[in-house]
Amino acid sequence: MSGQQHCYPYPRPALTVDAIIVAQTAPPQLLLIQRKHNPFAGSWALPGGFVDSGEGLEAAAARELQEETSVDPSTVLLTQVGAFGEPGRDPRGWTITVAFAALVPSTQLGVKAADDAQAAEWFPADRLPALAFDHKLVVRTALRHLATQPDVAKQPALVGALWAAAERLDGPWQQ
């Protein structure tokens, strides 16, 4: 099928990926980037971006994580946690994102802003700044997902901290 073009009479959304990286510290920390460009220039967001043609979703999430935060994606185990496509989530148009999350043992991952991120920092998951796009909803979903993982269930304090951080994100994602 290489080189074959398809034309469908249906509108198609753009496809993006986001990475939710949570450090198992007390309290848990979430890795965010500060956007360099519009939309939402200067706002905090999850590392992520558009999927390249022919690229797999997990590969795209790993690439974006490395491009924007300098984190070596081979050091994190990304797990798909959901897809998000509410109308209006991206002012550039109809965009669906697939979110991937990972728990890491610490914040010592060599984080350094790069590409289209002007900053990359860890934030306490229960005290996040205002987030771009619908990332409030994406983070809330990911924290709840991570709290239910079998390895995490063996750590009651972490389970409680993840659920508490997710609860602080309740409410509409639109600002």
Side-chain angles (χ1 to χ4, degrees):
M1 297 201 37
S2 179
Q4 196 174 40
Q5 295 290 324
H6 295 282
C7 188
Y8 301 99
Y10 308 102
R12 291 176 295 279
L15 182 60
T16 63
V17 290
D18 290 305
I20 302 93
I21 309 301
V22 178
Q24 299 179 59
T25 55
Q29 303 278 312
L30 176 67
L31 180 58
L32 296 174
I33 59 112
Q34 190 172 37
R35 292 181 55 83
K36 191 184 292 185
H37 307 292
N38 278 321
F40 300 106
S43 295
W44 291 98
L46 295 166
F50 288 97
V51 177
D52 291 338
S53 179
E55 185 177 36
L57 296 173
E58 187 173 345
R63 175 182 53 76
E64 286 290 343
L65 177 63
Q66 186 165 37
E67 284 179 1
E68 294 185 343
T69 69
S70 304
V71 170
D72 178 356
S74 69
T75 65
V76 298
L77 179 60
L78 293 169
T79 303
Q80 191 175 134
V81 297
F84 302 84
E86 287 296 314
R89 68 170 301 276
D90 188 330
R92 295 170 291 195
W94 185 22
T95 306
I96 295 173
T97 196
V98 178
F100 289 83
L103 278 171
V104 295
S106 78
T107 58
Q108 304 304 309
L109 298 178
V111 171
K112 181 181 172 196
D115 195 36
D116 54 356
Q118 67 184 30
E121 295 180 25
W122 293 96
F123 288 86
D126 61 351
R127 292 186 305 274
L128 298 177
L131 299 175
F133 305 101
D134 61 348
H135 289 181
K136 176 182 172 183
L137 171 63
V138 176
V139 171
R140 179 173 67 215
T141 302
L143 292 174
R144 289 175 177 163
H145 174 82
L146 291 171
T148 66
Q149 298 308 293
D151 288 346
V152 176
K154 300 171 192 170
Q155 304 173 60
L158 179 58
V159 170
L162 292 171
W163 278 109
E167 292 306 309
R168 289 185 62 107
L169 296 170
D170 268 347
W173 57 265
Q174 295 150 320
Q175 299 170 6

